[in-house]
Amino acid sequence: MNLPFAMAIFGLIVSAVFAFNAVRELRRNVPGHSRNAAMIHVAMVSMLAPFCLFVVFAYAP
């Protein structure tokens, strides 16, 4: 397994954790800093996950 592939898999795992926590926080529907951070994390996941998938497919062994 080469380094870009491994880092893309790691990025997908991190994105999944951030997405899970963000969705959990958004379901609480309590206004405040945590809700704003969750909305930013959803945006971050929507940009990072496709790039990680591209790297996985480009460097797949």
Side-chain angles (χ1 to χ4, degrees):
M1 182 180 333
N2 52 18
L3 187 61
F5 183 78
M7 288 298 104
I9 296 296
F10 180 72
L12 285 172
I13 293 169
V14 169
S15 292
V17 170
F18 273 91
F20 174 76
N21 288 333
V23 168
R24 190 178 63 170
E25 182 61 38
L26 288 173
R27 285 182 190 242
R28 284 185 31 197
N29 202 19
V30 176
H33 174 75
S34 295
R35 180 172 170 79
N36 293 339
M39 291 176 12
I40 291 170
H41 283 110
V42 168
M44 182 271 309
V45 167
S46 71
M47 290 184 284
L48 181 64
F51 178 73
C52 288
L53 288 173
F54 173 75
V55 172
V56 164
F57 291 130
Y59 288 95

